Amino acid sequence: MVGQIKIAFGGGCHWCTEAVFQSLKGVNKVEQGYVSSINENSTFSEAVIVHFNREIISQETLVEIHLNTHNSSSNHSMRDKYRSAVYTFSDTQYKEVYNTLNKFQNQYNGKLVTKVYPFSEFKASRKAILNYYQKNYDKPFCERFINPKLELLLNQFTNQVNKDFIITAEK
């Protein structure tokens, strides 16, 4: 399909990351699970693979949303489990994302800890926790952690949000 591409994001709980990207126009599929890269980053970390139509939403916008919906400037103790990363599927995509991160760096008070890594491997989450927000929108975890991220999207990225997703989730 023309314009279809994929990219992977990690940084926080994959339930949160999954809901953020599922709520966006132009995102066709979000695979929740664990991603690894190469060398010292070959261990698995919670992440999602986002399949999107670049004619509807740009890769740069996806990266910007990712930076704004997880703690991208904090190198906290859980970074092995929640590696702040963008995983790329080609050398060209790697260079594009690297340049995008450098562009956004000046918008943050602290140094971004988000890194660009080549994608290596993916393990899907167990079926019971896929589409977690859609199945559990009224649970305390979603109310405390996911809803604020979706509110941020509605406020800062209004044109990119599929409001039907959020309305459906809030029923």
Side-chain angles (χ1 to χ4, degrees):
M1 215 182 215
V2 174
Q4 295 298 312
I5 194 166
K6 63 184 176 179
I7 192 166
F9 296 101
C13 169
H14 51 203
W15 298 347
C16 296
T17 311
E18 176 189 56
V20 163
F21 290 103
Q22 284 177 332
S23 72
L24 300 174
K25 294 175 186 174
V27 172
N28 304 313
K29 179 179 172 185
V30 178
E31 297 178 78
Q32 182 207 113
Y34 306 86
V35 171
S36 69
S37 183
I38 58 172
N39 302 325
E40 67 274 4
N41 297 299
S42 63
T43 57
F44 284 94
S45 182
E46 291 191 19
V48 297
I49 299 175
V50 176
H51 300 255
F52 67 101
N53 184 333
R54 63 180 166 211
E55 294 170 5
I56 299 171
I57 190 166
S58 71
Q59 179 174 276
E60 183 173 306
T61 298
L62 292 173
V63 171
E64 181 180 14
I65 287 170
H66 180 58
L67 294 174
N68 281 280
T69 55
H70 83 285
N71 202 343
S72 58
S73 60
S74 172
N75 207 3
H76 57 73
S77 64
M78 296 292 288
R79 279 293 176 219
D80 287 339
K81 181 177 181 181
Y82 304 121
R83 188 178 299 127
S84 183
V86 181
Y87 300 90
T88 59
F89 290 84
S90 71
D91 290 340
T92 300
Q93 188 180 47
Y94 182 97
K95 290 173 191 166
E96 291 169 354
V97 172
Y98 183 84
N99 290 334
T100 298
L101 286 177
N102 284 335
K103 173 185 169 185
F104 286 124
Q105 174 58 64
N106 66 2
Q107 297 176 17
Y108 290 84
N109 291 331
K111 181 167 174 44
L112 289 173
V113 298
T114 306
K115 303 291 185 209
V116 185
Y117 297 121
F119 174 88
S120 177
E121 196 174 347
F122 176 76
K123 290 184 188 177
S125 293
R126 63 186 191 281
K127 190 174 182 176
I129 63 170
L130 297 178
N131 299 308
Y132 186 83
Y133 185 72
Q134 293 169 334
K135 296 175 188 173
N136 300 286
Y137 59 87
D138 58 348
K139 301 280 190 210
F141 180 88
C142 293
E143 290 176 357
R144 182 170 181 195
F145 296 105
I146 298 176
N147 284 345
K149 294 174 190 303
L150 296 178
E151 287 175 26
L152 180 142
L153 288 177
L154 285 170
N155 291 328
Q156 294 183 17
F157 298 93
T158 303
N159 294 333
Q160 285 80 28
V161 176
N162 177 355
K163 292 170 185 70
D164 289 339
F165 172 85
I166 296 175
I167 292 167
T168 300
E170 292 178 345
K171 283 184 188 174

